[in-house]
Amino acid sequence: MKKNILLFAVFILSFITILSACGSSKEVNENMSNTIDVENNSTETIKELQVRFGDMGIPFTLHLYDNDTAKTITSFVGLGDLRLPIYHYDDYDNWEVMQYYDIPSKYEIPQNPETITSQKAGEVYFEEGNKIVLFYKDAQISGKYTKLGYFDTSEDFVSAVESNPVLEGWGNKIVVISANNE
């Protein structure tokens, strides 16, 4: 009899434990759903980024096109500022109208290249090899690029690109890309 009472008590305690665990699990799932909903409601497509030429440069707005390449790059910026080097800035063809910014190869970026033959000042493209290409002057250069975005050009913009200082001790220039904080 004592054995039956003990088994019955263990059964009841087990049943209560299971029910309370289900209740806790339900609360956790509801809380997770709320968190996901809140995140989804606050997530919006980033349409602009801030770009500084050099660590202390003034910010210029990069207006982004609505494509997977731009969305992927902005997701990396969401993790923290991208500080991209320019390893070659005056010793490659057409250096006087464009600059290349190298994105680390660990980032996989989708692309949909098309042949571009005419670039306007301020146009920004993505190129195979994880490079962002900025045309800061008008150009007639043929290449396969994925459109990324554009800057509103001005004398200040061109001056900032051209006078981007070489990073002391590094021997290269950098650009800093960050989320638009407006």
Side-chain angles (χ1 to χ4, degrees):
M1 174 87 170
K2 285 183 180 181
K3 188 176 179 182
N4 286 342
I5 293 175
L6 186 59
L7 283 173
F8 183 73
V10 168
F11 173 76
I12 294 294
L13 285 175
S14 298
F15 186 72
I16 291 171
T17 303
I18 290 170
L19 286 178
S20 65
C22 287
S24 297
S25 176
K26 183 179 177 186
E27 284 177 26
V28 168
N29 286 338
E30 285 175 3
N31 287 341
M32 286 177 63
S33 294
N34 290 340
T35 302
I36 292 168
D37 288 343
V38 168
E39 288 176 359
N40 287 337
N41 289 336
S42 65
T43 301
E44 57 186 65
T45 302
I46 296 174
K47 296 179 182 178
E48 296 178 340
L49 294 172
Q50 294 297 310
V51 178
R52 290 181 286 134
F53 299 92
D55 282 327
M56 304 309 285
I58 61 171
F60 291 91
T61 301
L62 171 58
H63 307 280
L64 299 168
Y65 294 123
D66 185 14
N67 62 38
D68 290 339
T69 306
K71 289 175 186 173
T72 301
I73 291 172
T74 58
S75 72
F76 300 143
V77 173
L79 300 174
D81 292 352
L82 280 180
R83 200 166 174 252
L84 304 178
I86 309 168
Y87 290 112
H88 300 284
Y89 45 87
D90 63 2
D91 63 346
Y92 56 84
D93 290 338
N94 304 305
W95 65 270
E96 64 279 348
V97 296
M98 67 178 173
Q99 288 187 346
Y100 289 96
Y101 312 116
D102 295 321
I103 297 177
S105 60
K106 69 180 180 181
Y107 295 110
E108 291 185 29
I109 301 171
Q111 51 187 319
N112 187 18
E114 56 187 84
T115 300
I116 307 290
T117 58
S118 177
Q119 295 81 16
K120 293 194 182 282
E123 285 292 328
V124 180
Y125 299 95
F126 183 78
E127 182 181 51
E128 186 177 347
N130 273 19
K131 293 185 185 310
I132 293 177
V133 181
L134 163 64
F135 286 90
Y136 60 95
K137 293 183 181 175
D138 292 344
Q140 298 295 319
I141 299 170
S142 182
K144 287 200 153 288
Y145 303 108
T146 301
K147 292 181 177 185
L148 188 57
Y150 66 93
F151 289 97
D152 296 321
T153 58
S154 66
E155 286 182 28
D156 289 341
F157 173 77
V158 173
S159 176
V161 173
E162 291 179 332
S163 63
N164 184 353
V166 174
L167 210 56
E168 192 172 319
W170 285 46
N172 64 309
K173 299 178 179 187
I174 64 159
V175 294
V176 179
I177 304 173
S178 56
N180 190 347
N181 295 326
E182 292 182 44

